[in-house]
Amino acid sequence: MSTYDQVEIEDMTFDPDTQMFSYPCPCGDKFQIYIDDLYEGEEIAVCPSCSLMIQVIFDQEDLQEYYEEAGTQPPAPIAVSA
Amino acid sequence: MVVVSLGLGHDNDMLVPQTTFKSSIKIVKIEGGGNFTVLLLENGWLYLAGDLPLELECNGDKKTWRRVPGLYRDVACGWSHIVAITVENFVVTGGVGERGELGQGSKKESPFLNPIMQIRHPLKSQVLACFYNTYVLDGGQLLGCGSNTKCQIREPKERIIDSLVNVCEASVSQACAGKNYVFYQKADGHIRLKGSISNSETHLPPMDQFSAFECRSMWTSLLTFNANQKFQFYGQANQKQDAIIGFSCNGPVTAWSTGSEHGIVCIGGKQVFCWGWGEHGNCGSLPTSPTPDGVNDRSNINSGVNLAYKVDSTDVAIYTCFGGCATSWICVERLGS
């Protein structure tokens, strides 16, 4: 998948109320991605107003401080029965 | 004087230029922030359209041009802030700056344009801004504030620099600023790039740095234009931001500019070509895909060098052009008026 840019998570803005990371898009809107989606391995943030996407550069342990800021926990793994 | 625009800024994205501003006074600069535009007239009047938390003379409809109190000599826009030079030679900032780009210390919101510096060399001063950074060039001294996560201002990296600091110890003759970088030419001719144009590259391409050239930035690339009418490009080109390289202009370049991820060039004062990322209509319609109503049909998303506007009348000329976030502005004047 071709992305417009790669952005380190420290350069994004985290909103603890919406649990969302955002980053300016060259169209004037913002790329967005939920912290839980990042935690679960998604790394592509999309812009709601255009087709551009960015790849978020992060390690899963980077997310812990943001969960603490939001006062929440990462999603629990879903138990799969045999 | 008339300004026509393409792209964002209308109820619909427009592929065909629409008149957006008229004045009997010459327009000297148009700059775009994330969701707003500023327009500076030759007499120092500054107008703002769009959404920026700034107190204006008349807080009317955000879609209209509203006058910013005061008189100004220069202006630049970041993502959600303005930096300007007043006729009294103060650098002022206003809007929102989460990364220190207001240069007002810990203050992150400023509904008024507040002074942060006095200019010492009024005839050799200008302001630059992009994204989360502010730069001031004052008689060869280049100062900056805002985000420093890519060391675009100084080493080592910091998240926030909230007051103006020196970017370069040597005298600087010209500069331009992109998303995470500042490019400048020192008075001795040497060029330097601080920060990062893209994540993987930080070195400049071979460039004849001692010949005269102008420089402009897109968010993730750098474009220069030299006295031999030659463009050079460096940076990301996933959206054809480099399409101008190798393009044969059918006349002299009389003006050129860059937007967030597109470029604009005026040839002979009669034709305007756009290239790069044009998803919102900002690079104009393709000859093969005419749009009778002018509304963007998304037929020109990543554009080659495309004729976006032309004037046929001999008594009308295009005298300059500007770019912003997915928007192109073209300034037209009636000759002899």
Side-chain angles (χ1 to χ4, degrees):
Chain A
M1 183 186 301
S2 174
T3 56
Y4 155 68
D5 201 2
Q6 295 179 318
V7 176
E8 292 176 47
I9 197 164
E10 65 173 358
D11 290 324
M12 301 185 76
T13 300
F14 179 61
D15 182 342
D17 294 329
T18 61
Q19 309 258 313
M20 192 180 280
F21 285 91
S22 64
Y23 188 78
C25 174
C27 76
D29 208 330
K30 290 184 175 181
F31 299 106
Q32 299 171 336
I33 188 166
Y34 286 104
I35 188 171
D36 283 355
D37 291 337
L38 289 170
Y39 188 86
E40 290 173 348
E42 179 59 64
E43 58 179 15
I44 303 299
V46 299
C47 174
S49 298
C50 70
S51 66
L52 296 183
M53 297 175 281
I54 55 169
Q55 181 184 5
V56 183
I57 308 298
F58 72 105
D59 293 321
Q60 198 182 57
E61 54 261 37
D62 296 336
L63 302 175
Q64 189 55 43
E65 66 176 283
Y66 299 103
Y67 276 117
E68 288 172 8
E69 184 183 345
T72 59
Q73 295 289 321
I78 299 169
V80 179
S81 56
Chain B
M1 315 294 162
V2 173
V3 180
V4 297
S5 69
L6 285 157
L8 294 171
H10 302 271
D11 289 334
N12 293 302
D13 294 352
M14 300 306 295
L15 267 170
V16 174
Q18 311 288 309
T19 299
T20 187
F21 189 87
K22 285 184 180 180
S23 172
S24 59
I25 301 159
K26 199 160 191 170
I27 294 115
V28 293
K29 196 168 189 181
I30 304 175
E31 281 252 326
N35 280 302
F36 65 95
T37 304
V38 294
L39 182 152
L40 179 63
L41 298 183
E42 198 172 37
N43 66 354
W45 290 7
L46 182 64
Y47 288 87
L48 182 143
D51 196 4
L52 185 74
L54 201 66
E55 291 294 326
L56 304 173
E57 284 191 349
C58 171
N59 289 314
D61 184 354
K62 289 176 179 176
K63 289 182 179 177
T64 63
W65 294 99
R66 293 157 291 153
R67 175 105 186 267
V68 179
L71 295 172
Y72 302 89
R73 290 197 298 104
D74 194 16
V75 66
C77 299
W79 176 254
S80 55
H81 80 289
I82 290 177
V83 54
I85 301 176
T86 68
V87 294
E88 296 87 9
N89 295 314
F90 285 97
V91 177
V92 294
T93 60
V96 178
E98 295 284 334
R99 310 288 174 98
E101 58 267 44
L102 293 177
Q104 298 183 25
S106 59
K107 204 170 178 181
K108 293 183 176 177
E109 289 190 28
S110 177
F112 299 96
L113 290 172
N114 287 330
I116 59 169
M117 175 187 163
Q118 184 161 18
I119 290 291
R120 292 184 300 169
H121 303 277
L123 299 178
K124 293 183 178 176
S125 61
Q126 69 174 112
V127 285
L128 313 164
C130 187
F131 227 63
Y132 298 139
N133 283 109
T134 295
Y135 299 95
V136 180
L137 186 55
D138 181 19
Q141 185 183 22
L142 181 62
L143 304 109
C145 61
S147 171
N148 192 43
T149 58
K150 301 292 182 287
C151 298
Q152 55 263 60
I153 296 175
R154 66 183 178 191
E155 305 266 359
K157 82 175 205 179
E158 300 158 89
R159 190 170 165 79
I160 292 172
I161 295 178
D162 64 12
S163 60
L164 288 170
V165 298
N166 250 343
V167 174
C168 175
E169 293 303 322
S171 180
V172 171
S173 58
Q174 65 170 331
C176 62
K179 189 169 72 167
N180 285 313
Y181 74 91
V182 60
F183 171 81
Y184 54 86
Q185 184 178 35
K186 298 181 199 172
D188 65 8
H190 287 95
I191 55 172
R192 175 87 197 275
L193 185 142
K194 282 184 113 169
S196 174
I197 281 190
S198 66
N199 270 353
S200 57
E201 302 280 353
T202 54
H203 301 293
L204 286 171
M207 185 184 289
D208 184 5
Q209 53 189 297
F210 298 105
S211 67
F213 67 87
E214 299 174 338
C215 56
R216 309 260 197 280
S217 295
M218 298 183 205
W219 279 14
T220 58
S221 60
L222 166 71
L223 196 63
T224 64
F225 180 69
N226 69 19
N228 297 321
Q229 299 264 305
K230 183 184 174 191
F231 284 101
Q232 281 190 286
F233 176 90
Y234 182 66
Q236 296 195 161
N238 296 342
Q239 281 73 38
K240 294 190 180 176
Q241 294 96 324
D242 63 346
I244 192 67
I245 306 303
F247 176 74
S248 295
C249 298
N250 57 356
V253 172
T254 49
W256 67 285
S257 187
T258 48
S260 54
E261 293 296 355
H262 72 291
I264 309 154
V265 64
C266 178
I267 307 293
K270 293 293 181 185
Q271 299 173 303
V272 171
F273 294 84
C274 299
W275 71 94
W277 185 61
E279 181 164 347
H280 288 274
N282 45 297
C283 289
S285 61
L286 297 170
T288 52
S289 179
T291 50
D293 60 358
V295 176
N296 184 23
D297 61 1
R298 297 169 64 88
S299 57
N300 192 15
I301 292 180
N302 293 323
S303 179
V305 182
N306 182 50
L307 179 62
Y309 186 70
K310 67 175 181 176
V311 292
D312 294 319
S313 171
T314 54
D315 60 351
V316 175
I318 300 159
Y319 68 93
T320 192
C321 53
F322 300 96
C325 284
T327 312
S328 304
W329 296 282
I330 300 161
C331 300
V332 181
E333 66 181 338
R334 186 163 294 281
L335 300 173
S337 63

